[in-house]
Amino acid sequence: MAMYLRRAISSRNSIMLLRSCNCIIQTRNISHHLLSNSGIREAQNLPSFDFLKDHRRGFAKGKKSKDDYAGDTVQVVHDIGPTIKAGAASQMEAAIVALSRELAKLRTGRASAGMLDHIIVETDGVKLPLSRLAVVAVMDPKTLSVNPYDPNTIKALEKAIVSSPLGLNPRVDGERLIASIPPLTKEHMQAICKVVSKSCEDVKQSIRRARQKAIDTIKKAGSSFSKDDIKRLEKEIDELTKKYVKSVEDICKAKEREIIGG
């Protein structure tokens, strides 16, 4: 009887052990199945990494080379042609002004207020141009009046005028000086005309130098101009030069007529 009981208990324990093992195996299979399905679902839900490839492709397409950037660069080129012309014209005009000032100093047979401007007067140890000390006016074609700002300088003014190469002998008339313009001799006329001719040539040379300077500037800035622009600018500078040279010649001829006509 005891033997039968031990066998029954042993058989029962074996059955229970087998059931426990089956449960464990089933549990493991279920867990593995769940994990596999979950992994598939998670893998399906994960975002695709193809967008990185797409972005790389897009960046590669959008990337510009140095040449592309160079092509997009806007180069601002300033037109310096008008500046060059204006500079040349300014120098030529200054030469004309200087000529007119020099010719005004020359004595002719007619009275001219500017003929005394170049005279230097020394008063109280200070040397000043006559135009700073007095007002010169034309009374008639043959007479000048010199009106000093300070009557005390009248003697110094008289001395300076007499000492000048103009050959004038002013006289005191109250608080002013009266200077009569004597007629020019033939020799004096010829000498003055030579001075006018020389001044004319000197000024024309100054104008031509201004032209050459402008042409050189255009050539140095050749990369800023097309060939057509260079030719056009050179032509305009030449026309400007001819204009001022003719103006000089007209001024000098008018002065010579004034000298000879007395």
Side-chain angles (χ1 to χ4, degrees), residues 74-94:
V74 178
Q75 295 182 350
V76 179
V77 179
H78 297 285
D79 184 6
I80 61 174
T83 303
I84 295 173
K85 279 182 60 181
S90 177
Q91 293 176 27
M92 294 177 186
E93 185 65 33

Side-chain angles (χ1 to χ4, degrees), residues 3-13:
M3 184 185 303
Y4 286 117
L5 286 173
R6 284 196 296 272
R7 288 180 179 177
I9 290 170
S10 177
S11 176
R12 183 181 176 186
N13 289 337

Side-chain angles (χ1 to χ4, degrees), residues 88 91-92 95 201-216 241:
Q91 293 176 27
M92 294 177 186
E201 289 302 318
D202 289 344
V203 173
K204 285 195 286 187
Q205 287 298 322
S206 296
I207 291 172
R208 293 188 183 105
R209 282 194 296 271
R211 172 201 172 274
Q212 189 59 50
K213 183 178 179 181
I215 296 297
D216 291 342
T241 302

